[in-house]
C-alpha cells in the first residue's frame, strides 16, 4: 500500500477535484445506462466518454480543454495566431451551431414522412406538444434566468438534441453543456417519464381506440413535400431556415430517387462522423467547474417539467381534437408529439399494447413524432429570431 | 431566490436587478418586465408553431387532389396514386371541418395577441 | 380567405422580394429537371435546394446567409471573434477553393484512364476542345469584363464544375454563383446543346466511321500514368498543381492496388460529403440581390457560346487529325473533348447510333472525355497563374 | 455597352475607363489594351494546354515500349502486358507521324507568340 | 530534340531545383516501395504522392504550398483576412495535431485488446520498448538538438506515426516533415530492421519457446477496459489525454456493442478520410528547402537507432521477466512492444516460424504490440507536459 | 559538432551556446545542463510509462476476480465468463509475483530519482 500511496502523490490523482470525480462518475453512469438499458446509446456513449475525458485534471499551461480556443493576438504590428486545443477545434462545430444542421441533414435522409402525409391531422399533435417549450421558457424566466437563457432552456421541451444544442449555442453558450445533457438524459428517460402521464390523462376506453390503417402515399407527394414544407415553415418562421433547410434537403435527397448515393452517405458516414464529434465534445464541455452549478440543477428540473408538459400537451390536444372527429384519434398517440424520435413513438406502442396487445399504434405515432421535430425546429427559430434581436 | 450568475455579459444587468430587488417598490416593476415580455413571446411563438404546422397539414390534405388533376395530364409511372386518391377524399372532408374549427380559434387568439402587443 | 390574408401580412411572406421568388422558382426548376430528366441530379438537386434555402428572406440582425462570414474585430486592445453563419462556414470550402480539389480526388479514384492509355492520340481532342475556354475569355473581355472576370467566365467552356468553381473562387468570387450555375446548367444541357453542332460539322460518312477496339492496358501502365501525367502537366502549368495533384492522387490510390480502401472512401463517402456541402452552399449563394444582375445574363450567354465552341473545336480537330491518319477517328468523338464526364461521351454514343445502331463509340469517347478534364484543369492553372500576377 | 459593376476592387479602374470612354480618342487606346493582352494570354494558354496534353500523349505512346524492356528484366505477374505490346507498336508508329506534324505547327506558333510578347 | 529543348526553357522544368528533383524521386521511391513490397501502403502512397506534389516549383505570388497559411492583417482600422492555400487548410489538421487523435479514434475502433486482456503481463513488454524513445531523446540532446526538438525526435522510437506527428506538431513543428517521414519509413522497414536484432539477442532455445493459448475474455472485461485504462493512464500522464481519450473512446464504441454503427464509421470512412488528408499533406510539407537539411539526416540516423533500441528493449525485458516466470515468454514477442501495429507482430511470427514452423506467436505478439501504442502515447504525453512548460 | 539551426525561437540560445563553446572552460558547463536535465526527464518519463502500464496490468489481472463476484449478483447473458475465471486465477497468482518484484524495483528507482531532482 505504501508504494502505491507514495506514487499517487506525485501524479495527477491527487489534483483531481471532487467535482471532476463526480462528473467522471456521471459519464460512466451514462455509458452504463446506454449499454445496459439501450437508452439512446449513439449519444449517451459519446457524451459519457466525453465527460470522462473532459474531467481529467490537466497540467497548467497545456491547452487541452474544449474551452482553450484559438485566438489572434496583436503583438507589435503583427497579428499572431495562438493555437487552440484539439478538443476546441472539434467543439467549434458545437459552439457555432454547425453540427446540428448536419445531423438534421442525416435525419432528413433517414425519415419517411409517409405516415404523416397519409394522415395530416396528426401533425397538429406535434404542434401541441411544443407547449412544453414555451411554458418551460416562462418557468425559466420566473426562476430569474434572462430571456436568452430561458429560451435555450425552454427548447429542452422540444425533446430534440440537435435543436437544443443549436439554440443554446446561439442564445446561451455558457449553459450549452447543461442543456444538452438535460435534453439527451430526458430523451433517454422517455420510457420512464411519459407512461405515468399518459395513463393519468387518458381513460381506459381512450387507450383502447384503434385507428384506421394509413393510406398509401404516392412518390410525387413525397417528392413535393420537403420543398413545400420547407417553404411554408421558413416563410412563417425564417429563424428555422438552417435546421429545417437541412432536414428537408436531406429528405429531398432521399425522396427524389435520383440522388440515392448522397442520401445514403448523409444518413450513414456523414451523420455518424458528426454524431461522434458532437457527442464527444459536448461531453468534454461538461467540466466540473462550468457544469456543477446551481443553474444546472435548475435546468435539470425545468427539463423534466418540460418533458412532462409536452407529453400532456400532446395527449390533451388529441382529446380536444376527438371532440370534432368521427374517426377518433387514440390520445396516447399525442405523447409522440414531443419528438424524441423514435423513442416516444415506441412508448406509445408499448403503453397501447398494455391495454390491448393487438393494437398497433407505432405507425400512427410516427406522424406526430416527426411533426414534433419540425415543430420544435420552428419553435427554436422563433425564439432565436425574437431573442437575438433583443439586446435589452 | 438569487442564483449566482457569473457570465460577463449578464453580470451588469443582474447586479442592477439585485440592487433593485433590495428596494421592495422596484422589485415588482423590474422582474415582471422580462416575464411579461416573455409571456407575449411565448403566446406568439406557440401560435406561429401551430400556424406553420397547420399550414403544412392543410397543404398535405390538399395535395392528393391537386396531384390527381396533374396525373391526368402527366401520369405517374407507378400506380400507387390512383388507389390512394379515393380514401383520402373522405379523410380530407373530415380534415376540413377540424381545420376550419382550429383555424378560427387560432385566428381569434392571434388577433387578441396582436392587439395587446400594439397597446403595450 | 380573410384569415389567411391577415396572417400572411404578419409573417415573412410579404417581405419576400420578386427576385427571391424567381430564384426559388429557378431552384425548384433545377430539382424538377434533375428528377424528371435525370440531368446531373447529384449536383442539380443540392444546388436547387440550396437556391430555395438561400432565398428565404431573413430577419435583420440574424446571421444566416453564406455571405455572413466570421471576422475578427479589434475592440480596445483585444481582438474579438465575430461568428459567421452556419452556411458561411460550409461555404468557406467553396470560397477558398477547398471542395473542388477534394471532388477531383474522388473523380480520380473513380476514373479508369484505360481507353485513353490505349489510344493516346485521342487525348489531343481533349486539348482542342479547350479553345472554348480561351475564345470565351476573349468574348468576355470584349464585353468589358475585366481580365480576372473574363478568365473565370472562360473556364465555363471547360465543362467541368469543380474547375469552374475553383478558378472563380480565385479570380472573381463575386461571380462564383453565376459561373457555377451556368457551368452546371450547361453540363446538364449537354444532350440538348451538342447534337445539332455535331451534325452540322460532320458529314454522314464521317459519323459512320467505326473505330478499332482499344488494346488492353497493363497494370504497370495504369500505375505509372498518374505520376507521370502529374509531373508532365504541372511542370508545364504549375498553376494546376492542386486540381491535378488531387485528381492523379485519387487515381494512384485506385491503380496502385494496395490502397483500395482509401480509393473506395475517396470515391464514396468523401466525394459525397463534399458534393452535398458544395452543391448546397453554391445554391445558397445565389441570393437574388447578388445573382439577378445583368452580368449573370451575359455570363449565361457566354457560357452557352463556350460549350458550342468547345464542341466545335473538338469535332473540327478530329477532322483535322484525320488528314494525317490512316485509321480514321470518328469526328463525333471530338465532341466528348469538352469533358462534362460522362454526359458528353454518352451524347457521342447516341448521335453515332442514330446513323449506325451497331457503332459503339462510347468507349472511344471516354478518352477525349477524361483528357478534357485534364485539359480544362491545365487551362484553369494557366489562367490563374497569369491573372493572379496581374495587379494592373 | 456599359455594365454596372459594383465590386469595390474594380470600381476605380472602371470609373477611369468610363471617363475615358467619353473621350473618343482615348476609347480605342484603353479598352483594347485589355483585349490585346487577353489575346496574347489566350494564344499562349491554348498552346500550353496543347503542349501539356501532347507531352502526355507522347509519353503514353512510348510507355509500352519502355515497359516491354523493363518486363524482360522484371516481369509483371499478370500476362496482360505481353499481348498488349505488339498492337501498340503499329499504333505508335502512326502516332509518331501525327505528333511530329502537330509538334512542328505548335513550335512555330509558340515562337511567333514569344517574339510578339517580347516586342510589346 | 531542338523543339523540346526550346520549349522546356519556357516552362517550369528549368526552375526546378536539384533538391526538388531529389524529393520527387524519394516520393516515387516511397510509392514504389508501397506497391512492390506492400510496406505500409496506406501511408506511403499518400506521403509519396504528397512529396511529389509538394516539390513542383510554383510560380511566385501564387499561394500553393502547405506553408502558405492564412492570416489576418490590420489595414487601417480593419482586420482583413488573407486566404491561405488549399494545401495549407488541409495541413492545418496536421499542424494543430487534429488528425492524429482522429486516427487514434479509428484505431481504437479497430483494435481488439483481447489478447492483452488475457495475458496482462505481456503489457510490460510494450512499456519496456519505450526505452527507445527516451534513449533517442538523450541522443538527440547529445547532438545539440534543443529539448523540444529532442523530445519530438525521440518519439520516433514509439514507432507510431500519429503519435510522432502529434508530438512534433506541439514541440517542433519545423521538424515535423522529417520526423513523420522517418517514423513511417522505419515502420515500413520493420521487417528489415528488427529480425537481425531479435536473432542477435536471443538463443535458439528461447526462440523455440511455445506459449500457452490465451484464455477467453468476457464482454464485460472488454467494455470496462477502455474506460479503466483511460483513467489509469491519463491520471498518471495527463498530457496523453487527447490521444488516449480518442483511442479508448474508439475502443468503447466497438466494445459497448450498442454503438456498432459509430464504430464502423470511425474505423472506415472517418479514418480513411483523415489518413488521406494527413498522408498527402505531410508528404506535401517535405519541400526540398525545408526538408533537405543536415538535421533531417541526423533525424533519420537517430530514428534508425531508436527502432533498434526499442526492439532490443522489448526483447531483453522479456528475457528479464523470464527470470521470474515458470510459464516462459518467448522473448521474440518482446520485439512487438515497439508497436508499428501490426507489422512488428508479423515479424515476430515470421522469425519464430523460421525456427519452428508450428509455433504461432502472432496472437501473443499482438498484446505487447497494442500495449506499445498505449506506451508511446503515454511517453508523448509526458514529453509534451514536461517540455511545453520549460521555456528555459 | 555544430548543426546550422535557423528557427527563430532557438537562434539566440544557440548563438550563446556557440559563443560559449569557443571557451573550453564553459563548454562543459553549458551543454551538459540540457543533457543533465534531459537525463532526469528521460528517467522519470520511462518510469511513468512503466508505472502506467503496470497499473493497467494489475487492473486487468484483478478484473476477472472482481467480475466473478459481480456476476453472482448480476449474471452476464453469455457464458464466456464462467470458463474464463478459473484459468485466470492460476495466471494471476504468477502475475502477482512478477508485479511485486517489478513494483519494488520501480519504487526504489523512482525514489532515487525524486531525491536527485529535489537536490538539484
Ligand atoms: Na420536438
Ligand atoms: Na474540360
Ligand atoms: Na509504440
Amino acid at each position: 500500500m505504501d508504494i502505491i500511496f507514495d506514487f499517487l502523490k506525485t501524479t495527477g490523482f491527487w489534483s483531481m477535484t471532487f467535482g471532476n470525480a463526480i462528473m467522471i462518475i456521471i459519464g460512466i453512469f451514462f455509458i452504463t445506462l446506454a449499454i445496459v438499458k439501450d437508452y439512446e446509446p449513439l449519444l449517451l456513449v459519446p457524451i459519457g466518454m466525453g465527460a470522462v475525458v473532459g474531467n481529467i485534471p490537466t497540467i497548467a499551461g497545456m491547452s487541452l480543454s474544449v474551452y482553450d480556443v484559438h485566438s489572434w493576438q496583436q503583438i507589435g504590428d503583427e497579428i499572431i495566431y495562438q493555437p487552440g486545443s484539439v478538443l476546441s477545434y472539434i467543439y467549434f462545430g458545437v459552439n457555432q451551431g454547425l453540427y446540428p444542421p448536419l445531423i438534421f441533414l442525416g435525419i432528413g435522409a433517414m425519415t419517411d414522412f409517409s405516415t404523416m402525409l397519409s394522415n395530416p391531422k396528426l401533425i397538429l399533435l406535434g404542434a401541441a406538444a411544443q407547449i412544453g417549450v414555451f411554458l418551460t421558457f416562462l418557468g425559466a424566466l420566473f426562476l430569474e434566468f434572462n430571456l436568452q437563457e430561458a429560451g435555450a432552456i425552454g427548447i429542452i421541451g422540444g425533446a430534440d438534441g440537435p435543436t437544443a444544442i443549436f439554440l443554446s449555442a446561439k442564445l446561451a453558450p455558457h449553459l450549452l453543456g447543461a442543456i444538452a445533457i438535460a435534453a439527451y438524459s430526458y430523451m433517454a428517460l422517455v420510457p420512464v417519464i411519459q407512461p405515468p402521464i399518459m395513463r393519468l390523462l387518458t381513460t381506459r376506453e381512450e387507450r383502447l381506440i384503434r385507428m384506421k390503417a394509413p393510406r398509401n402515399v404516392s412518390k410525387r407527394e413525397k417528392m413535393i413535400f420537403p420543398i413545400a414544407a420547407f417553404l411554408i415553415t421558413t416563410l412563417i418562421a425564417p429563424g428555422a431556415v438552417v435546421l429545417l433547410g437541412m432536414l428537408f434537403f436531406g429528405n429531398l435527397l432521399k425522396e427524389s430517387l435520383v440522388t440515392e448515393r448522397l442520401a445514403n452517405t448523409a444518413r450513414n458516414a456523414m451523420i455518424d462522423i458528426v454524431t461522434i464529434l458532437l457527442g464527444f465534445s459536448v461531453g468534454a464541455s461538461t467540466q466540473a467547474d462550468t457544469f456543477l452549478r446551481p443553474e444546472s440543477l435548475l435546468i435539470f428540473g425545468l427539463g423534466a417539467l418540460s418533458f412532462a408538459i409536452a407529453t400532456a400537451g400532446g395527449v390533451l390536444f388529441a382529446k380536444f381534437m376527438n371532440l370534432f372527429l368521427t374517426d377518433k384519434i387514440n390520445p396516447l398517440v399525442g405523447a409522440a408529439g414531443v419528438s424524441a424520435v423514435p423513442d416516444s413513438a415506441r412508448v406509445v406502442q408499448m403503453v397501447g399494447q398494455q391495454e390491448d396487445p393487438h393494437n398497433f399504434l407505432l405507425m400512427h405515432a410516427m406522424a406526430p413524432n416527426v411533426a414534433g421535430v419540425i415543430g420544435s425546429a420552428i419553435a427554436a427559430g422563433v425564439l432565436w429570431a425574437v431573442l437575438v434581436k433583443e439586446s435589452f | 431566490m438569487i442564483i449566482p450568475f457569473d457570465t460577463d455579459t449578464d453580470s451588469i444587468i443582474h447586479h442592477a436587478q439585485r440592487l433593485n430587488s433590495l428596494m421592495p417598490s422596484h422589485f415588482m416593476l423590474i422582474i415582471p418586465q422580462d416575464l411579461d415580455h416573455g409571456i407575449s413571446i411565448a403566446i406568439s411563438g406557440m401560435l406561429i408553431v401551430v400556424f406553420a404546422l397547420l399550414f403544412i397539414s392543410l397543404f398535405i390534405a390538399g395535395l392528393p387532389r391537386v396531384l390527381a388533376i396533374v396525373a391526368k395530364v402527366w401520369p405517374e409511372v407507378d400506380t400507387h396514386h390512383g388507389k390512394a386518391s379515393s380514401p383520402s377524399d373522405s379523410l380530407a372532408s373530415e380534415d376540413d371541418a377540424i381545420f376550419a374549427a382550429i383555424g378560427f380559434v387560432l385566428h381569434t387568439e392571434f388577433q387578441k395577441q396582436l392587439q395587446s402587443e400594439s397597446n403595450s
Side-chain angles (χ1 to χ4, degrees), chain A, chain B:
Chain A
M1 272 328 280
D2 199 52
I3 297 171
I4 294 165
F5 188 78
D6 280 4
F7 180 80
L8 279 175
K9 279 203 288 192
T10 66
T11 67
F13 275 103
W14 250 226
S15 71
M16 197 165 76
T17 65
F18 184 66
N20 285 332
I22 288 179
M23 288 311 300
I24 289 172
I25 290 166
I26 291 176
I28 293 172
F29 174 71
F30 272 37
I31 296 167
T32 312
L33 208 66
I35 293 175
V36 176
K37 290 280 184 181
D38 203 33
Y39 286 167
E40 296 272 343
L42 299 182
L43 283 150
L44 291 192
V45 171
I47 289 177
M49 189 70 187
V52 173
V53 170
N55 280 284
I56 297 295
T58 54
I59 295 157
M62 289 180 82
S63 123
L64 286 170
S65 136
V66 296
Y67 300 112
D68 293 331
V69 295
H70 70 166
S71 63
W72 294 82
Q73 272 161 30
Q74 186 148 26
I75 293 159
D77 267 3
E78 265 191 297
I79 296 176
I80 306 290
Y81 185 66
Q82 306 291 325
S85 71
V86 168
L87 286 177
S88 78
Y89 293 118
I90 296 176
Y91 192 63
F92 185 83
V94 174
N95 216 9
Q96 300 301 319
L98 199 54
Y99 294 148
L102 297 179
I103 288 189
F104 261 49
L105 179 78
I107 291 174
M110 278 175 192
T111 304
D112 187 347
F113 285 101
S114 293
T115 49
M116 202 178 101
L117 290 170
S118 75
N119 199 351
K121 64 179 171 295
L122 295 181
I123 293 172
L124 296 172
L125 299 173
Q130 307 313 317
I131 192 76
V133 172
F134 294 104
L135 286 185
T136 310
F137 165 68
L138 291 180
L141 284 177
F142 187 77
L143 293 177
E144 288 193 34
F145 286 96
N146 69 32
L147 281 169
Q148 281 72 22
E149 294 168 335
I153 293 167
I155 207 69
I156 298 173
D160 207 45
T163 304
I165 288 170
F166 184 80
L167 193 66
S168 310
K170 299 294 177 191
L171 294 183
H174 58 292
L175 301 181
L176 196 151
I179 290 171
I181 298 292
Y184 284 116
S185 304
Y186 293 125
M187 282 165 69
L189 294 174
V190 147
V192 179
I193 298 172
Q194 288 200 312
I197 299 164
M198 291 158 75
R199 286 198 204 93
L200 187 74
L201 298 176
T202 51
T203 63
R204 186 159 190 275
E205 288 69 45
E206 284 171 333
R207 292 199 290 276
L208 286 170
I209 293 174
R210 291 199 182 183
M211 293 169 72
K212 283 209 297 194
R215 69 172 177 91
N216 276 330
V217 175
S218 73
K219 284 181 195 166
R220 276 189 193 165
E221 281 175 85
K222 289 197 211 170
M223 283 176 194
I224 291 167
F225 169 70
I227 301 169
F230 170 76
L231 287 173
I232 292 168
T233 50
T234 57
L235 284 172
I236 293 174
V241 79
V242 180
L243 285 176
L244 290 179
M246 284 294 186
L247 181 76
F248 290 123
F249 174 37
N251 192 244
L252 181 64
L253 290 180
K254 173 174 181 284
E255 301 299 352
S256 76
L257 305 178
V258 288
T259 52
E260 189 49 33
R261 63 172 289 164
L262 298 184
N264 200 41
T265 294
R267 72 178 155 241
N268 288 299
M270 196 170 178
I271 198 174
D272 287 347
I273 291 171
V274 177
T275 301
I276 290 170
L277 298 177
L278 177 140
F280 188 70
S281 60
V282 162
S285 77
T286 63
Q287 289 171 11
D289 54 340
T290 62
F291 189 81
L292 290 178
R293 294 172 165 216
E295 294 100 293
S296 297
L297 272 185
L298 291 180
I299 288 169
F300 268 75
L302 288 164
L305 188 74
S306 71
F307 268 68
I309 296 171
T311 305
V315 172
L316 292 175
F317 196 74
K319 294 176 70 160
F320 169 74
M321 284 172 75
N322 277 346
L323 301 178
F324 304 86
L325 293 170
T326 45
D327 282 333
K328 301 294 183 199
I329 300 168
N330 186 320
L332 293 176
V333 162
V338 299
S339 41
V341 182
D343 299 292
S344 68
R346 281 196 204 132
V347 166
V348 170
Q349 165 81 352
M350 187 191 74
V351 175
Q353 289 197 323
Q354 283 168 357
E355 302 292 342
D356 171 4
H358 300 290
N359 195 1
F360 297 99
L361 295 172
L362 186 65
M363 220 183 337
H364 302 288
M366 283 311 293
N369 212 200
V370 293
V373 175
I374 301 171
S376 45
I378 298 170
V382 170
L383 288 170
W384 185 25
V386 174
L387 298 175
V388 85
K389 283 198 294 186
E390 306 286 331
S391 52
F392 68 125
Chain B
M1 175 177 193
I2 287 164
I3 308 148
F5 284 92
D6 57 2
T7 46
D8 297 26
T9 50
D10 308 331
S11 61
I12 298 157
I13 294 147
H14 275 272
H15 274 288
Q17 290 182 336
R18 275 177 205 151
L19 278 172
N20 283 323
S21 70
L22 299 173
M23 292 169 279
S25 64
H26 285 230
F27 182 82
M28 291 302 288
L29 286 169
I30 288 176
I31 297 306
Q33 199 180 338
D34 258 25
L35 201 57
D36 191 45
H37 195 56
I39 290 168
S40 105
I41 290 172
I43 295 175
S44 29
M46 190 64 203
L47 285 174
I48 290 172
V49 170
V50 173
F51 262 102
L53 289 181
L54 182 61
F55 264 80
I56 293 183
S57 268
L58 290 169
F59 177 84
I60 292 173
L63 188 59
R65 274 168 285 186
V66 175
L67 285 180
I69 297 162
V70 172
K72 282 171 196 164
V73 185
W74 175 39
E76 200 170 3
V77 178
D78 74 81
T79 53
H80 281 220
H81 189 257
K83 283 185 284 174
S85 57
S86 54
S88 77
D89 272 14
S90 67
L91 269 168
S93 63
E94 190 168 58
D95 288 350
D96 288 346
I98 192 159
F99 290 144
I102 294 164
F104 180 74
V105 175
L106 283 171
H107 175 66
T108 320
E109 276 304 306
F110 203 67
Q111 292 298 339
K112 274 190 215 158
Q113 180 62 18
L114 280 172
Q115 258 177 338
S116 70
E117 267 180 41
S118 60
N119 294 348
S120 67

